[in-house]
Amino acid sequence: LCPGKLCEKCDDGYFGDPLGRHGEVRPCVLCQCSGNIDTNAVGNCHHLTGKCLKCLFNTSGRSCHECADGFYGNASATDPVNKCRLCGCNPAGSTDGLQTCDVQSGQCSCLPHVTDRDCGHCEPGYYNLQPGVGCDRCDCHPDGSRNSYCHLVTGQCTCRPGIDGTSCDRCQHGYFDFSAKGCRGTGLSCSTLGR
C-alpha cells in the first residue's frame, strides 16, 4: 500500500498520508471512484486527497459520482442505458443554445413556448421555432378557425368550411357570409354568377 523505503507515499490507486507529512497521519485507503475508472490505468486518483482524476463513461466529480456537463442520468448505474447520456438539447429551442440539462431528468432549459425534453417542438398553439427567440403564437381567427392550433412550421390554422387564409380570416373564393359556422357558398364563383 505504500511504496518507498520509508513508506512515505501511498501506492497507485490508494490515497492518504502515512507519515503525516502534509498534516495528520492518514493510512492509505483505496480510491473510491464509483466504478467509473479503468482499474488497469495508472494515476486514477490523487495520492493525498483521493480525488479521482480519470473519470470515464461521461462522469465527473471528486468520486466520479455525477454526470459530466452536457450529460444526464445515474453515474452509479451499471446498465449503460441508465448511465450518463448526452443531453441532446435542440440548439434552436434551448435557452443557452448549449447542451446543458437537468442532471437527473435530462430536461433541457427551453425558450418561451418551446416544449419536450430536448426543447425541439413548439407548445400547442404556437409555431415557427426560432433560435434565441422561441415560438410564435398561432394567429388563428377565433370565428374562422376550428381551434387555436396551427401547423408547427407554416402557422396554417385549421379553417371552418368555406373559410381560407393562414389565419382563417376570410371566405374562400365563391363563398360569403363569414361567421363562426363558416362561410356559405353556392359552389359557383362570382364570375360565373355574374353571367
Side-chain angles (χ1 to χ4, degrees):
L1 296 178
C2 51
K5 292 180 183 177
L6 300 174
C7 212
E8 74 278 5
K9 180 178 166 186
C10 294
D11 199 3
D12 189 59
Y14 292 81
F15 74 99
D17 191 3
L19 297 181
R21 290 187 171 176
H22 302 278
E24 65 183 69
V25 173
R26 288 179 292 122
C28 296
V29 293
L30 186 66
C31 295
Q32 300 298 315
C33 297
S34 307
N36 291 320
I37 56 169
D38 177 356
T39 54
N40 295 318
V42 176
N44 278 320
C45 74
H46 190 275
H47 71 280
L48 284 174
T49 66
K51 180 181 185 326
C52 299
L53 304 173
K54 296 182 177 181
C55 298
L56 299 175
F57 315 118
N58 308 313
T59 62
S60 66
R62 174 180 169 74
S63 302
C64 303
H65 63 289
E66 58 193 22
C67 292
D69 288 344
F71 294 85
Y72 75 100
N74 180 356
S76 301
T78 55
D79 176 11
V81 172
N82 295 314
K83 202 106 167 134
C84 299
R85 302 179 301 269
L86 184 66
C87 288
C89 301
N90 183 316
S94 57
T95 53
D96 55 9
L98 301 174
Q99 296 299 315
T100 55
C101 65
D102 181 273
V103 294
Q104 297 299 319
S105 69
Q107 177 63 53
C108 301
S109 178
C110 300
L111 290 167
H113 309 296
V114 180
T115 188
D116 289 345
R117 187 202 63 76
D118 67 348
C119 302
H121 295 91
C122 293
E123 293 176 348
Y126 293 84
Y127 78 107
N128 191 26
L129 176 59
Q130 301 169 63
V133 177
C135 296
D136 296 329
R137 180 186 297 275
C138 296
D139 189 25
C140 301
H141 192 284
D143 291 335
S145 180
R146 292 184 186 274
N147 52 46
S148 61
Y149 305 137
C150 64
H151 188 275
L152 293 174
V153 177
T154 65
Q156 175 65 56
C157 301
T158 306
C159 299
R160 294 185 186 280
I163 295 182
D164 201 5
T166 304
S167 300
C168 303
D169 57 351
R170 64 181 182 270
C171 290
Q172 292 177 354
H173 190 67
Y175 288 78
F176 64 96
D177 195 21
F178 183 92
S179 74
K181 293 180 181 177
C183 291
R184 293 185 300 154
T186 61
L188 303 173
S189 68
C190 293
S191 61
T192 305
L193 290 172
R195 288 186 171 176

